[in-house]
Amino acid sequence: MNFTYPKIEKLKSKKLIDQLFSEGQSVSVFPLRLVYLGTTFDDGVLVKTGVSVSKRNFKTAVDRNRIKRLLREAYRLNKPDLFNNLTTQHAFMILYIGKDKPTFAQVDASMKKLFGKFLNQHSKS
């Protein structure tokens, strides 16, 4: 995998997002939570990912959008290291559950721990 996050890898299907939250499993490393579901895609993409930040914790769109940018960038940079050994297709939703505005270093470190925990849990099942 390369260091890009193209449109084809973005999770946009409302139906799939609803299914993800109703049937998916989750892994948490504060301040991030990953909800994932094994599925199949017609376009041959290995992973589709979305990010979300709570409106309850961050009232202004400026703050929410900044955190979402940080989450997408941390995901983009860590994606090749984490998913080279992933063979099945998955849908991911990364949620920011903290109440404070994070720095990129905090988000990046949490993202690495989160996907490490996901890979450990996924390899056991």
Side-chain angles (χ1 to χ4, degrees):
M1 288 186 128
N2 53 8
F3 288 99
T4 60
Y5 185 44
K7 187 175 182 180
I8 197 168
E9 290 183 9
K10 294 186 173 143
L11 182 62
K12 293 181 176 281
S13 167
K14 175 87 168 102
K15 190 171 152 184
L16 186 56
I17 292 170
D18 290 341
Q19 184 183 7
L20 183 66
F21 283 107
S22 64
E23 301 172 18
Q25 298 173 301
S26 70
V27 175
S28 292
V29 172
F30 190 80
L32 302 178
R33 182 171 158 225
L34 173 71
V35 181
Y36 64 95
L37 178 68
T39 185
T40 57
F41 303 116
D42 296 335
D43 48 17
V45 177
L46 197 59
V47 175
K48 286 196 181 218
T49 307
V51 295
S52 180
V53 179
S54 171
K55 197 173 192 177
R56 181 186 298 167
N57 295 338
F58 298 95
K59 304 292 186 212
T60 60
V62 174
D63 293 338
R64 288 193 305 275
N65 291 340
R66 168 140 178 87
I67 294 168
K68 287 191 283 188
R69 279 196 308 272
L70 293 175
L71 291 173
R72 282 191 293 263
E73 182 66 5
Y75 168 76
R76 184 186 72 81
L77 292 174
N78 293 312
K79 180 175 70 163
D81 301 335
L82 302 166
F83 301 129
N84 279 337
N85 54 0
L86 196 64
T87 55
T88 56
Q89 293 178 326
H90 283 83
F92 289 150
M93 180 64 81
I94 301 168
L95 307 166
Y96 185 79
I97 54 175
K99 293 188 180 356
D100 301 323
K101 294 182 206 172
T103 63
F104 178 73
Q106 292 168 332
V107 171
D108 193 44
S110 296
M111 189 73 70
K112 286 177 183 170
K113 288 179 191 169
L114 181 72
F115 282 112
K117 196 170 177 182
F118 162 74
L119 289 172
N120 285 341
Q121 192 174 46
H122 184 266
S123 64
K124 290 177 186 173
S125 57

